[in-house]
Amino acid sequence: MTNTAKKEPQERGKHQVHNVRFYTIKPRGIVSLAYSKSSKCLALSRETPVIELWNLEHTPYLDRVIHLPPDSPAESLAWAGNRLFSVDLTGKLIEWDVIKLKPRYEHSPTGNALWSIDVNPAETDIAVGSEEGHINLLSIENDEITYKSLFNKQKGRVLCIKFDKTGTKLVTGTEGCVRIWNVLKGTTLHTMTLSENNVIVWSLQFLSDNTIIAGDSAGYVTVWNAENATQIDSTRVLDKNVFALAVNKKEDRLVCSGMQPPLIRIFSKAKIKREESTSERWIKFLQRDAHKHYVKSLLVIDDQIYSGGLDGILTITSSERRHAHLSQHAPFLKGSVASLSISKKLLLLRYPNSLHLWRLGSVAPQTEDKKKPWAHPVGHTEELLLEQPPQKLLHLNVKERNFIQSAAISPDANWICYSTLKELRISRLKSDPLQVERLVDDLPEELQPASHIIFTKQGGLALLNPQNNHLSWFNLEEDRVTFKYTIDLSDNCKNAINHLVISSHGDYIVAASSDHIVSVWKLHGKQYKHLLNLPRHRAGTTSLSMHEDHPRVVVAYANGKLVEYDLVNRIFTCETDEHLIPETRHYCISGISLDPQNPNIFIVHTETNLYVLERDQHLDTKELVRSSKSKKLSNGNCSSVAAGSKGLSLKTLLPRQHLVHVSRLSSNELVNVSISTNNLLAPLPPPYRRKKYGAS
């Protein structure tokens, strides 16, 4: 796990890229998936106490994160319209405020661990299943949660639970049997026992044709008729543990997966004729080899299969033969995970419970032959030798129950600041020898936990409080931090702020929130005042950046569109089509790095590739302003688009594996931080290997 340097081709000379491969995060397994059709939001719970909210309006991206109390990860999730509910093994049923990212209501229906939850089709009731065999029915009407009824207690924990399409019946799975319940009376209608009593029912589906499908620990998928509790079919699809079942909207595709092997197997509903009778059966249709470790949860959304399990990778593939694309989203932490001290070439890496400080490697001097610009063809990537390998200087741990939500090192490497969910700490970094001195005395009370930490080139510190979207500014002096003032960003950014940029000269602030708002503030004297909002785009913002010496902001959207906006002349100086980069149909642009020496070069990256883009025609702002034919935009308070605004063309593509961060170290040096799949999966047990007979 080293860092290497490469020379990459560019239009105006070559760049050195430090490929940092020593950032390795532990997999955080996916436990449950739930989808809201109305908000196009995928809720995802992990083995760690978080619920991630992924925006699926266009290309999927991680939009917001709800942090749960320590030691209480969500076991199961369910949506009722735009309302999100979770249950956990501490016995709590929680409704979440998905805007403020806090609990709205908390209930403890039984006092025992809760394993399963489902919402009826009318979205008026929820049912939860407990460790002791209790099934609670609760009303969620009138924007409340109220107790409704308690079903007759069954033997064994209720591991899975599903309403039928009418909401009058409920099916539950436990060890050894499947039960059908009358919702109104809370009594058992039928009990279907499995062939072996110790077989556990892990997953259930209740279809509109009144059939029940169950996946169990023996690897079988069994189909029953819910009217008379007769078994229609039983097929062994895995060696063991069918943890997850899902059906598409038409209910003609059944998807299952689990433990051994961790394949995603797809079945198609077909009509079978036998003599004069016709019956419907599920037949093998397709399989996807998308995971190396067990799969815990599945969803089918618009013929796309969303799956997740032990490896923590959210995988998306198609349920149809004609589309075989596979996209895998690694379990990255929300926000920036890397911060650079440019002057000292130090890299601070953020982990959930620790910070690592590294000194980047330096490149060995090149021979004269290597320096000739014609020595390598265009598009060639050259591996360079390191004179000094990267060196780990510092490893700072916090308590395991504390999660580090943000961290940064100052440009001059004199300060390190990090924030957990409950407190913020700032320290002086001294060299020769390396020492970290935490400041504890006479600190301003405004030093509150922050989701974004930004050290400015002017020697200041900016902290964004995620609770109220207040941006506080501080002066940094020798061993002293003094409070300056606070800017209230909430008047224009009411939702969670995902992206925050301060211009290199400190005269502009740009913030993008989860409700598709991009707001700009400008420094007037000693105070910032709101300048404008960019036209509200229909897709969410996935990345922000500003030119170093030009008042122009560059925005990337979830539909693959890139725009550049001139804040002085209030015109778009660059605007691309959607999905200019074809890969953005599967992975969003997650970072933008601009060239301070050439404002016509845009370096952007997704999770799997680094791209160099160039403006089609070099920018002449004065000419654009003269020739622009302004037109009113109906969805924003910025009113003009330059008629001569330029597009971008793709010049270079550099493949990467799980690329998490790219930033500029100097005018011709880039640092990219990536995680290889092998390193990501290394802490897990060896993957399941099955024998293949006659396979090529």
Side-chain angles (χ1 to χ4, degrees), residues 243-263:
F243 285 136
L245 292 172
V247 292
N248 64 348
K249 188 176 181 180
K250 295 180 181 179
E251 296 187 353
D252 60 353
R253 294 283 188 275
L254 170 66
V255 185
C256 58
S257 191
M259 191 170 186
Q260 291 185 6
L263 295 170

Side-chain angles (χ1 to χ4, degrees), residues 8 33 41 66 77 95 134-135 148 171 191 201 215 222 246 268 381 415 429 511 535 599 613 625 635 691:
E8 313 289 7
L33 299 172
C41 181
I66 300 172
L77 302 171
E95 180 185 350
H134 293 290
I135 300 167
K148 198 168 184 179
V171 61
T191 299
V201 179
T222 307
S268 178
T381 300
W415 300 86
L429 189 64
L613 307 173
V625 173
N635 57 348
K691 295 181 179 179

Side-chain angles (χ1 to χ4, degrees), residues 40 82 109 144 154 161 165 226 229 253 280 372 415 420 501 512 538 561 615 622 635 641 655:
K40 297 189 184 304
N82 295 329
E144 296 177 340
Q154 71 170 43
I161 192 166
K165 301 304 178 184
R253 294 283 188 275
E280 290 185 333
K372 293 179 181 179
W415 300 86
T420 66
V501 174
R538 63 189 184 90
K561 190 170 187 175
R615 205 186 304 268
K622 293 181 180 179
N635 57 348
V641 176

Side-chain angles (χ1 to χ4, degrees), residues 10 12 15 342 457 504-505 545-550 552 564 592-603 615 663-670:
Q10 248 201 50
R12 295 181 59 181
H15 270 53
I342 294 175
K457 291 185 177 180
S504 59
H505 299 292
S545 188
M546 278 200 74
H547 287 276
E548 189 169 314
D549 297 315
H550 305 280
R552 296 197 297 272
E564 180 187 56
I592 304 168
S593 181
L594 302 169
D595 192 333
Q597 295 184 336
N598 186 354
N600 298 301
I601 295 294
F602 297 68
I603 298 175
R615 205 186 304 268
S663 58
R664 189 171 289 279
L665 187 60
S666 67
S667 59
N668 67 338
E669 285 182 286
L670 290 174

Side-chain angles (χ1 to χ4, degrees), residues 515-535:
D515 55 352
H516 304 189
I517 295 291
V518 179
S519 291
V520 183
W521 290 260
K522 190 178 188 304
L523 182 64
H524 291 273
K526 295 184 178 181
Q527 290 290 331
Y528 285 91
K529 294 183 179 180
H530 182 257
L531 179 66
L532 55 86
N533 283 0
L534 266 66

